[in-house]
Amino acid sequence: MSDDKPPLAFLLDSDFRNKYPHQLVARFPHVARKIEAMWGDAGATADYFTELMIPSRPNRQGFPPEVAAEIMSLSIAYDRIGHLLVAEEAPVRAPLAAYQWDQERLVKEIENLGFAFSREGFAKAAEAGNHQVCAMFVQAGFDVDTRDAREWTPLTIAAFHGREQLALMLLECGADLFAKDRGGYTPLHWAAFSGYPVVVKLLLDRGVPANVLSNAGISPLLQAAARGHLAVVNQLLDRQANPNLDANDGSTPLLKAVANGHLAVIQVLLNAGAHRQVTLADGTTLDDIVAKTKDLRIRAIFG
């Protein structure tokens, strides 16, 4: 390989250019060079990926989320792209199947880290935000969209708990952005509900529409407004979330914000054009809810 090429440049000249670890090469070139140097030895490469994802030294600082996600994505894809040659002088490789990670070894490592090798164990690892173990579950053969009893995928769990690094890794591994649970709620709904702007941005940037609805007609904006998550409300509005989308019961983001006393959110929604004339399916109006609030500032807004 010529000196003017960056580490792992052969990926850029292949059909797998989307797996090229740009952040890793730019920020940790020595790691990228080491991966490249052992690329032809699948056993050594697999061991090194494991070392990178699960450091043996307890005081070792982990990689930044975007770099860790690239490493995990590359490691999981290795069984498909490991046949690529680094250079013309690279040794002839044995059949690709001989270089797949050994499932038995992965299962043992997962269990040694305290997680059962099961659907429940995968969900537990996701709830803990353990992106290393979740990557191992995927590498060992679990579907990245494996569902728990709630019909939550690991990405849904990551969104609900604000596990940014895990969410990024799962997306790099092809997790379904639009996976819906039993109520029709997507990962974006749960990230908005819990108030995690970084995860919300990650999902929006990947193409999830801000106005996606649950089975009950509830939007992410309604959930964020009901919980008083001002930063997320602003994010969603910036991405063309409709402040006047009403749920099946007639509730709107503004009505929920008023009912729960979120003054700053109320002001932002009104500035975004939220309608004041709102009536629930049971006949209760927004004015009725305003009249019952003890917050004089909210009463003053609606005068």
Side-chain angles (χ1 to χ4, degrees):
M1 178 175 171
S2 61
D3 294 337
D4 60 342
K5 288 187 176 181
L8 299 169
F10 62 93
L11 289 172
L12 294 171
D13 299 324
S14 74
D15 293 334
F16 302 97
R17 61 184 61 87
N18 64 319
K19 296 299 179 184
Y20 185 75
H22 293 276
Q23 290 292 325
L24 175 67
V25 171
R27 301 166 69 175
F28 300 90
H30 64 289
V31 174
R33 282 193 293 270
K34 187 170 180 179
I35 294 173
E36 178 184 81
M38 60 179 62
W39 189 267
D41 185 338
T45 304
D47 288 341
Y48 188 49
F49 278 136
T50 300
E51 178 187 337
L52 293 173
M53 291 189 292
I54 307 178
S56 57
R57 299 194 299 273
N59 60 346
R60 178 176 173 179
Q61 185 175 3
F63 292 101
E66 58 276 13
V67 175
E70 286 185 341
I71 292 172
M72 292 172 196
S73 178
L74 186 60
S75 71
I76 291 170
Y78 182 75
D79 65 338
R80 292 185 291 113
I81 66 178
H83 64 284
L84 298 176
L85 299 181
V86 176
E88 292 182 1
E89 65 272 15
V92 177
R93 295 176 53 84
L96 180 60
Y99 294 101
Q100 294 183 352
W101 279 19
D102 179 71
Q103 186 185 53
E104 186 175 327
R105 179 170 67 90
L106 282 168
V107 172
K108 184 176 180 180
E109 289 178 356
I110 289 170
E111 291 178 343
N112 285 342
L113 290 167
F115 299 91
F117 189 66
S118 64
R119 181 182 68 172
E120 293 74 21
F122 195 176
K124 179 181 176 183
E127 288 176 356
N130 196 322
H131 54 276
Q132 295 100 332
V133 172
C134 287
M136 293 168 70
F137 268 101
V138 175
Q139 184 62 45
F142 267 81
D143 187 335
V144 70
D145 293 317
T146 296
R147 293 174 178 269
D148 65 11
R150 301 165 293 184
E151 290 294 314
W152 281 20
T153 66
L155 180 59
T156 305
I157 295 171
F160 179 79
H161 291 287
R163 309 299 192 190
E164 300 164 13
Q165 191 165 351
L166 173 59
L168 183 58
M169 183 277 289
L170 292 168
L171 289 170
E172 289 291 331
C173 293
D176 185 0
L177 290 161
F178 304 97
K180 292 191 172 186
D181 61 19
R182 294 186 186 281
Y185 296 95
T186 66
L188 180 60
H189 279 98
W190 290 118
F193 176 86
S194 296
Y196 292 113
V198 174
V199 180
V200 168
K201 182 179 186 303
L202 185 62
L203 295 169
L204 291 171
D205 287 348
R206 295 288 178 121
V208 181
N211 292 315
V212 61
L213 299 178
S214 72
N215 295 346
I218 294 174
S219 68
L221 179 61
L222 190 151
Q223 289 198 290
R227 302 269 291 181
H229 299 310
L230 181 61
V232 173
V233 167
N234 280 317
Q235 273 184 304
L236 292 166
L237 289 171
D238 287 342
R239 298 298 186 96
Q240 281 69 58
N242 184 347
N244 293 308
L245 277 180
D246 57 334
N248 296 352
D249 67 354
S251 60
T252 65
L254 179 60
L255 184 144
K256 287 293 187 180
V258 170
N260 293 319
H262 302 308
L263 180 63
V265 171
I266 293 169
Q267 293 172 325
V268 166
L269 289 170
L270 287 171
N271 290 339
H275 298 160
R276 299 188 181 205
Q277 302 303 316
V278 179
T279 303
L280 293 173
D282 65 3
T284 302
T285 67
L286 177 59
D287 288 339
D288 293 333
I289 295 174
V290 169
K292 293 179 180 179
T293 184
K294 296 180 180 179
D295 192 327
L296 298 180
R297 297 169 300 173
I298 294 177
R299 289 188 184 183
I301 289 174
F302 291 91

